[in-house]
């Protein structure tokens, strides 16, 4: 009887662990979606990347993103672009850039790849007002 | 006959040399405002004292004489002022890796540039005068660099949750470069490049860390060299669309409208 109880307890613990693991890992973002190009350091509470587009001009990747503040208060955003070459290797590291978005403001961020070798990118964003959860 | 057969090779060598343009890389020119303050106090004090006494005595009379004199002279001068002047010169550092990267990544041949050793004045920036004086007589192009900013930083940041802190010693160098044709003075490429290096060490309370300046300088030189070579190749059109290096002499993209590809829009 004692062994049975022990087995039951172990089983319950395992299933609880599995359940937690499942809830912690959100499904991967759809390829071609904004989220697939976004890296949030904690889910932003009031800021959204509402539009994102990229084009190649003069051999250089040109990216434009639109950030929307859905709050009635000013919001602080820090962002940087991560440029990646065709083999998936990162090309250097940019510095974080600060940006203040006024209440309900939409701001456009533009960036040009530092080198023609950049074929892909990720936009890394961090808002001081975030939920603290995994995005 | 043996020497004659060698003559066949000579034209080939000459062709090989004619194809690759020769480039000379100057040392990085800098100008810096030097300010100082001086305060001089000059104090001299000379003093002298003299005293004499004479006594005379015989059976009938006695006399005594005493004299005393003193003299003191003091000179006091105090001057204070501040001065400021602009110092010009060339940094004899940081260009080794630029040369190395140019050799590795572009089709240029390198020739040694003659250093500027004259007394520093604003003339140091007159690269055309230096070219005309024959400083770079063997070169088709001169890569002329001037220092825009040079900044050392020494930061100590506590690491939250521990009793250690991180000591970061870093150097950032920003320099502007122009690639100038020595015959036509045409600027073929111009850009500003950055070199940065840092040495980060953990320091626990009470310990003393000494950053390695050599490591930082070496990192700055390497990253500056890479940045210069990359930007030079980009502006000279040594890259194809896929980011691979093109063969030298490949046709440049047509001028006029920007070479624009299709827009990729990401869905929310």
């Amino acid at each position: 009887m004692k062994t049975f109880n022990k087995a039951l307890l172990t089983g319950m613990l395992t299933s609880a662990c599995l359940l937690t693991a499942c809830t912690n890992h959100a499904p991967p973002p759809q390829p071609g979606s904004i989220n697939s190009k976004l890296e949030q350091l904690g889910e932003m509470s009031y800021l959204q990347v509402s539009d994102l587009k990229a084009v190649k001009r003069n051999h250089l990747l040109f990216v434009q993103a639109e950030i929307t503040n859905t709050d009635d208060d000013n919001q602080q955003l820090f962002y940087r672009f991560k440029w990646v070459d065709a083999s998936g290797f990162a090309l250097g590291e940019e510095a974080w850039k600060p940006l203040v978005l006024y209440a309900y403001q939409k701001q456009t961020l533009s960036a040009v790849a530092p080198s023609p070798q950049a074929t892909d990118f990720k936009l890394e964003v961090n808002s001081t007002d975030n939920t603290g959860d995994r995005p | 006959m043996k020497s004659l057969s060698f003559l066949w090779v000579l034209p080939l060598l000459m062709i090989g040399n004619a194809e690759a343009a020769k480039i000379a890389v100057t040392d990085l020119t800098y100008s810096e405002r030097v300010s100082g303050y001086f305060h001089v106090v000059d104090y001299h004090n000379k003093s002298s004292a003299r005293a004499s006494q004479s006594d005379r005595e015989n059976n009938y009379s006695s006399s005594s004489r005493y004299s005393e004199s003193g003299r003191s002279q003091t000179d006091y001068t105090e001057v204070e002022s501040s001065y400021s002047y602009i110092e010009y010169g060339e940094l004899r550092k940081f260009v080794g890796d630029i040369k190395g990267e140019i050799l590795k990544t572009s089709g240029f041949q390198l020739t040694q540039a003659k250093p500027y050793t004259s007394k520093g004045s604003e003339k140091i920036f007159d690269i055309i005068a230096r070219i005309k004086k024959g400083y770079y007589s063997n070169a088709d192009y001169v890569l002329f660099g001037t220092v825009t900013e040079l900044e050392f930083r020494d930061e100590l940041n506590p690491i939250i949750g521990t009793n250690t802190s991180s000591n970061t010693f870093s150097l950032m160098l920003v320099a502007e470069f122009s690639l100038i044709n020595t015959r036509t003075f045409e600027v073929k490429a111009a850009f500003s490049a950055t070199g940065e290096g840092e040495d980060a060490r953990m320091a626990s309370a009470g310990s003393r860390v000494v950053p390695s300046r050599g490591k930082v300088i070496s990192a700055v030189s390497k990253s500056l060299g890479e940045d210069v070579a990359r930007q030079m190749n980009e502006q000279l059109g040594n890259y194809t669309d896929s980011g691979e290096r093109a063969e030298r002499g490949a046709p440049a993209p047509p001028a006029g409208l920007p070479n624009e590809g299709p827009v990729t829009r990401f869905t929310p």
Side-chain angles (χ1 to χ4, degrees):
Chain A
M1 189 62 190
K2 212 171 181 181
T3 336
F4 175 73
N5 274 348
K6 212 172 181 180
L8 192 70
L9 197 68
T10 320
M12 278 169 75
L13 272 174
T14 319
S15 52
C17 285
L18 277 172
L19 210 65
T20 333
C22 285
T23 48
N24 270 353
H25 288 284
Q30 288 281 321
S33 67
I34 291 178
N35 280 342
S36 68
K37 295 285 160 204
L38 211 59
E39 279 181 13
Q40 295 188 57
L41 310 183
E43 193 179 13
M44 298 191 290
S45 307
Y46 302 108
L47 297 179
Q48 282 174 3
V49 180
S50 43
D51 189 26
L52 186 64
K53 53 194 171 206
V55 67
K56 206 155 200 186
R57 280 184 189 155
N58 286 327
H59 313 283
L60 294 169
L61 197 58
F62 184 87
V63 180
Q64 190 173 296
E66 188 187 64
I67 315 285
T68 308
N69 180 8
T70 57
D71 191 25
D72 59 359
D73 209 350
N74 295 352
Q75 288 291 325
Q76 173 82 55
L77 175 78
F78 294 94
Y79 72 96
R80 66 175 175 180
F81 285 89
K82 281 181 166 178
W83 304 99
V84 182
D85 72 6
S87 322
F89 284 84
L91 297 166
E93 197 166 74
E94 274 187 12
W96 285 96
K97 292 175 246 329
L99 182 74
V100 173
L101 285 106
Y102 300 114
Y104 305 118
Q105 194 193 7
K106 283 184 177 181
Q107 273 262 33
T108 309
L109 313 178
S110 300
V112 184
S115 141
Q117 286 167 306
T119 54
D120 201 3
F121 70 97
K122 280 272 169 81
L123 173 58
E124 208 174 354
V125 284
N126 179 25
S127 168
T128 45
D129 204 341
N130 65 35
T131 59
D133 292 336
R134 210 181 255 267
Chain B
M1 189 60 196
K2 210 171 183 181
S3 58
L4 271 178
S5 65
F6 177 68
L7 284 176
W8 280 99
V9 188
L10 269 178
L12 291 174
L13 282 173
M14 284 164 77
I15 291 166
N17 282 346
E19 272 179 357
K22 286 179 187 163
I23 184 170
V25 181
T26 64
D27 286 328
L28 298 179
T29 307
Y30 72 88
S31 68
E32 192 180 23
R33 180 173 286 279
V34 181
S35 301
Y37 166 82
F38 67 88
H39 184 192
V40 180
V41 177
D42 193 12
Y43 177 83
H44 291 289
N45 182 18
K46 204 158 71 177
S47 59
S48 59
R50 186 190 285 172
S52 66
Q53 185 172 6
S54 61
D55 295 306
R56 185 179 288 172
E57 193 175 338
N58 58 25
N59 293 337
Y60 309 104
S61 66
S62 75
S63 70
S64 171
R65 213 168 91 184
Y66 176 78
S67 77
E68 194 179 74
S69 71
R71 201 174 134 176
S72 169
Q73 187 186 354
T74 306
D75 291 322
Y76 181 81
T77 320
E78 187 172 350
V79 182
E80 70 175 320
S81 179
S82 62
Y83 61 90
S84 162
Y85 63 93
I86 298 177
E87 192 181 281
Y88 298 95
E90 276 188 335
L91 275 185
R92 310 264 180 248
K93 292 170 189 169
F94 301 118
V95 289
D97 287 294
I98 297 176
K99 292 178 189 169
E101 286 296 324
I102 289 173
L103 281 177
K104 275 198 278 183
T105 61
S106 68
F108 285 111
Q109 268 195 335
L110 275 175
T111 64
Q112 179 63 37
K114 204 170 150 187
Y116 188 85
T117 49
S118 310
K119 198 167 181 283
S121 73
E122 207 162 28
K123 276 185 189 165
I124 199 168
F125 293 104
D126 191 355
I127 188 69
I128 291 180
R130 280 158 75 182
I131 292 171
K132 283 181 178 167
K133 276 184 189 165
Y135 272 71
Y136 320 103
S137 52
N138 294 325
D140 301 312
Y141 293 95
V142 175
L143 185 66
F144 179 59
T146 54
V147 175
T148 317
E149 185 67 53
L150 183 69
E151 185 190 26
F152 274 103
R153 294 172 78 173
D154 197 357
E155 290 167 344
L156 189 71
N157 294 308
I159 299 167
I160 296 163
T162 64
N163 59 355
T164 56
S165 48
S166 148
N167 185 289
T168 312
F169 180 75
S170 59
L171 170 64
M172 189 173 211
L173 170 72
V174 183
E176 277 191 6
F177 291 90
S178 303
L179 185 67
I180 303 160
N181 187 316
T182 53
R183 283 173 194 87
T184 60
F185 306 126
E186 183 195 0
V187 177
K188 293 292 282 183
F191 49 86
S192 81
T194 312
E196 49 193 334
E198 64 171 40
D199 186 22
R201 281 156 199 261
M202 298 289 182
S204 53
S207 73
R208 185 172 163 266
V209 288
V210 181
S212 162
R213 290 176 78 95
K215 187 181 158 191
V216 174
I217 299 282
S218 155
V220 169
S221 180
K222 275 209 170 57
S223 66
L224 181 71
E226 282 166 10
D227 200 16
V228 167
R230 182 181 60 77
Q231 295 200 56
M232 212 169 80
N233 287 332
E234 270 170 32
Q235 294 195 14
L236 297 177
N238 281 357
Y239 281 97
T240 59
D241 236 351
S242 61
E244 296 296 319
R245 254 197 73 204
E247 289 299 312
R248 269 196 85 74
L257 283 172
N259 177 5
E260 189 154 331
V263 176
T264 315
R265 188 177 279 269
F266 299 94
T267 53

